[in-house]
Amino acid sequence: ERNRIYVGGFSSGARLASMLGIGCGDIFTGTLCVCGANFYLHLPAGGNRYYPSSFSPSTEILHYARLHGRFVLLTGAEDPDRGIVRLVAELGFVRDGFKNVLYHEVPGLQHALPGLGPLDEALDYLDEKPIAPLPPLDTSKAKSVSSRPSSP
């Protein structure tokens, strides 16, 4: 089904999935990130620290992902990376205008895969029907995702 092409991962795999979900938003309709996430913009992390960007998506595909992509960022309340995942969710996805983002902290979970309950909830969110059918994306002008140095 065209409405159910998902990418997901755990930890470093989640960071890669978040990059693919945005940078290939014309392919993936949903992204599940468990205990990890990256973003295409530098994100303030308090004081003069920041969480560096890690990729540079095409402007057209980024716009498409903001409007039509569904993103679940799931982490454990006891995960040492919880702060980064929350930062990416709130100061990345939500602040940048992504329309369909679910952030969920699993009580007591450390840096590990959650049980079936939180995963079912995540998949239910990804499976929600879009308000309008996905329009075709004109990729003739789009550039592919490229790496960018992580300096500010």
Side-chain angles (χ1 to χ4, degrees):
E1 280 183 61
R2 171 66 184 106
N3 296 5
R4 299 183 74 206
I5 302 173
Y6 304 147
V7 62
F10 169 74
S11 194
S12 295
R15 291 192 288 278
L16 178 59
S18 63
M19 293 164 47
L20 289 169
I22 295 171
C24 299
D26 58 329
I27 297 170
F28 298 108
T29 59
T31 303
L32 173 58
C33 301
V34 180
C35 295
N38 279 350
F39 203 64
Y40 77 99
L41 297 172
H42 294 317
L43 300 175
N48 51 352
R49 297 181 356 213
Y50 66 93
Y51 185 65
S53 63
S54 55
F55 64 105
S56 181
S58 140
T59 303
E60 186 174 290
I61 293 175
L62 171 62
H63 178 70
Y64 193 84
R66 274 191 193 114
L67 295 177
H68 303 288
R70 300 186 78 73
F71 297 86
V72 175
L73 285 79
L74 193 146
T75 191
E78 307 302 321
D79 181 2
D81 292 337
R82 180 191 64 81
I84 292 170
V85 176
R86 185 172 184 171
L87 180 84
V88 170
E90 293 176 358
L91 298 183
F93 284 99
V94 173
R95 182 190 276 178
D96 196 47
F98 283 76
K99 302 296 181 202
N100 304 296
V101 179
L102 173 67
Y103 172 78
H104 181 69
E105 284 183 18
V106 179
L109 185 69
Q110 296 187 3
H111 194 77
L113 289 172
L116 291 180
L119 290 175
D120 281 342
E121 183 181 323
L123 288 174
D124 286 346
Y125 182 82
L126 294 179
D127 280 343
E128 285 181 17
K129 299 294 180 212
I131 294 171
L134 293 174
L137 177 66
D138 177 11
T139 58
S140 61
K141 299 176 199 163
K143 297 177 185 172
S144 37
V145 176
S146 62
S147 297
R148 181 169 65 187
S150 60
S151 60

